[in-house]
């Protein structure tokens, strides 16, 4: 599985990662003895903006963004980013990690949110370990989605993705949409689009600047979303489902080739794993385009 591209894998994701019993390090670490404990390749942090003076690309207060679910709180985003960096420094050569920043703010409108969040990540994370949208613009005259559909993603073991982090904005629809359409080739984050799990007419796009898609799934709607999600894989697009808190939902997500299966069940649930011996598994039962640009069919296992 060493030559798989990012769109060809299924992995475990943590939902509301700041609110779990396990530390971020425990969530991100794959346990060979108990593969259902930890082993996440994606985490989620809900963020709130606290505007103050800053210098774009140079300096910004560490309490400009905080992390919490329903109220802004006072836990700085920088503290969580530092935990991730500590894990990164202790786990050399790790797989790419997807970090969802779920925007809870709406006060004062969008303003210059793109400069604010990018400056914050530059100051309190590390720009050189972020996989940016600009990396996917093989054809600069085409949209991000067109580039991904036509050219795909790098292999996860490539220097482009190994030891890297992918930031994706979720939450506030207006803000993440404006971010995605503001000099995206220069930005630090991707943005996702939310999709219904109960609409049989949901289809993957072929253009635009969204390549991540978020489904809030319910088992009662499985006959719909298990059919609408797989075509996104055919287009090399990345899907995330939440909440996969039952074994039934979990197994159905694997069958549907969901990219990131988000759950609250980080530990002590034997079914909450994608493989017995690896942190990810290959998507199955579809025709995918390998990095060599040759098509191959992957059989269901």
């Amino acid at each position: 599985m060493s030559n798989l591209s990012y769109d060809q894998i299924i992995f475990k994701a943590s939902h509301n990662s700041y609110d779990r019993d396990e530390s971020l390090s425990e969530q991100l670490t794959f346990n060979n003895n108990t593969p259902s404990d930890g082993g996440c390749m994606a985490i989620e942090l809900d963020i709130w903006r606290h505007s103050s003076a800053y210098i774009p690309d140079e300096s910004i207060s560490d309490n400009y963004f905080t992390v919490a679910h329903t109220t802004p709180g006072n836990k700085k985003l920088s503290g969580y980013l530092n935990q991730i960096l500590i894990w990164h420094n202790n786990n050399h050569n790790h797989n790419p990690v997807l970090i969802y920043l779920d925007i809870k703010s709406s006060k004062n409108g969008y303003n210059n949110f793109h400069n604010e969040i990018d400056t914050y990540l530059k100051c309190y994370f590390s720009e050189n370990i972020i996989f940016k949208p600009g990396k996917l613009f093989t054809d600069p005259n085409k949209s991000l989605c067109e580039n991904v559909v036509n050219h795909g993603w790098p292999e996860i073991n490539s220097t482009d993705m190994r030891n890297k982090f992918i930031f994706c904005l979720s939450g506030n629809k207006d803000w993440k949409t404006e971010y995605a359409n503001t000099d995206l080739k220069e930005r630090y984050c991707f943005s996702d689009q939310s999709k219904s799990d109960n609409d049989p007419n949901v289809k993957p796009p072929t253009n635009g600047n969204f390549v991540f898609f978020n489904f809030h799934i319910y088992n009662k709607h499985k006959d719909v979303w298990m059919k609408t999600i797989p075509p996104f894989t055919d287009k090399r697009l990345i899907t995330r489902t939440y909440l996969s808190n039952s074994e039934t939902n979990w197994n159905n997500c694997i069958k549907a080739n969901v990219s990131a299966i988000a759950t609250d069940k980080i530990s002590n649930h034997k079914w909450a794993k994608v493989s017995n011996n690896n942190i990810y598994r290959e998507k199955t039962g579809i025709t995918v385009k390998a990095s060599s640009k040759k098509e191959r069919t992957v059989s269901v296992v």
Side-chain angles (χ1 to χ4, degrees):
M1 296 198 296
S2 60
N3 65 340
L4 295 176
S5 57
Y6 190 65
D7 58 293
Q8 295 173 0
I9 63 171
I10 297 172
F11 51 89
K12 184 176 180 178
S14 170
H15 174 252
N16 288 348
S17 309
Y18 55 90
D19 204 26
R20 308 269 61 84
D21 292 332
E22 302 83 1
S23 67
L24 293 185
S25 176
E26 290 170 332
Q27 294 175 49
L28 291 170
T29 301
F30 181 72
N31 191 319
N32 285 295
N33 294 323
T34 52
S36 58
D37 290 352
C40 297
M41 281 178 61
I43 60 175
E44 179 186 37
L45 302 171
D46 292 349
I47 61 171
W48 298 79
R49 183 178 70 183
H50 306 264
S51 298
S52 60
Y54 74 102
I55 303 175
D57 293 323
E58 291 187 25
S59 64
I60 191 167
S61 171
D62 64 347
N63 65 1
Y64 205 100
F65 290 100
T66 55
V67 173
H69 189 54
T70 55
T71 58
N74 57 9
K75 293 184 178 180
K76 301 171 183 176
L77 174 59
S78 61
Y80 292 96
L81 295 178
N82 187 58
Q83 291 179 45
I84 295 167
L85 285 174
I86 291 172
W87 177 85
H88 165 77
N89 291 330
N90 290 330
N91 291 271
H92 180 68
N93 205 35
H94 61 76
N95 289 292
V97 173
L98 176 58
I99 302 174
Y100 278 90
L101 299 178
D102 192 296
I103 307 164
K104 296 299 184 183
S105 297
S106 58
K107 186 178 179 181
N108 298 326
Y110 182 86
N111 201 5
N112 286 307
F113 174 73
H114 55 286
N115 285 329
E116 297 165 343
I117 191 62
D118 285 2
T119 298
Y120 197 94
L121 292 176
K122 184 173 183 178
C123 291
Y124 298 105
F125 200 65
S126 180
E127 181 181 0
N128 65 353
I129 58 173
I130 298 176
F131 181 87
K132 301 176 184 177
K135 281 283 188 180
L136 296 175
F137 279 93
T138 302
D139 184 344
N141 297 314
K142 301 290 186 180
S143 68
L144 177 63
C145 184
E146 288 173 292
N147 271 284
V148 166
V149 170
N150 292 324
H151 304 290
W153 294 77
E155 293 178 0
I156 58 174
N157 284 327
S158 67
T159 55
D160 281 337
M161 301 209 84
R162 206 72 186 170
N163 263 336
K164 297 295 195 298
F165 294 87
I166 304 167
F167 285 89
C168 183
L169 301 175
S170 191
N172 187 312
K173 179 181 178 180
D174 292 339
W175 288 23
K176 66 184 180 183
T177 299
E178 188 159 353
Y179 183 99
N181 292 313
T182 306
D183 303 321
L184 186 59
K185 296 184 186 71
E186 310 302 322
R187 302 269 66 91
Y188 287 25
C189 305
F190 294 83
S191 295
D192 76 6
Q193 273 190 344
S194 296
K195 295 293 183 182
S196 169
D197 76 327
N198 194 32
D199 181 358
N201 296 312
V202 166
K203 291 179 175 60
T206 55
N207 54 46
N209 282 330
F210 294 91
V211 294
F212 286 84
F213 299 89
N214 207 13
F215 293 77
H216 188 179
I217 60 166
Y218 295 88
N219 184 56
K220 63 184 179 180
H221 299 153
K222 68 180 185 299
D223 290 341
V224 176
W225 60 260
M226 287 186 71
K227 293 178 181 177
T228 57
I229 290 178
F232 284 79
T233 289
D234 294 335
K235 296 294 185 182
R236 299 167 163 182
L237 303 171
I238 307 303
T239 53
R240 173 182 180 262
T241 52
Y242 73 104
L243 285 162
S244 299
N245 283 340
S246 70
E247 185 172 6
T248 297
N249 262 3
W250 184 269
N251 290 334
N252 284 336
C253 284
I254 291 176
K255 292 176 183 177
N257 281 322
V258 172
S259 303
I261 310 175
T263 182
D264 295 326
K265 310 302 184 183
I266 307 303
S267 303
N268 304 316
H269 291 78
K270 292 183 178 180
W271 50 263
K273 59 185 177 181
V274 297
S275 170
N276 286 322
N277 50 29
N278 205 346
I279 197 169
Y280 61 84
R281 67 180 290 155
E282 185 173 7
K283 292 180 179 179
T284 57
I286 56 171
T287 299
V288 296
K289 294 181 180 180
S291 299
S292 64
K293 307 302 182 186
K294 295 179 180 178
E295 290 190 355
R296 61 193 177 91
T297 300
V298 184
S299 300
V300 176
V301 294

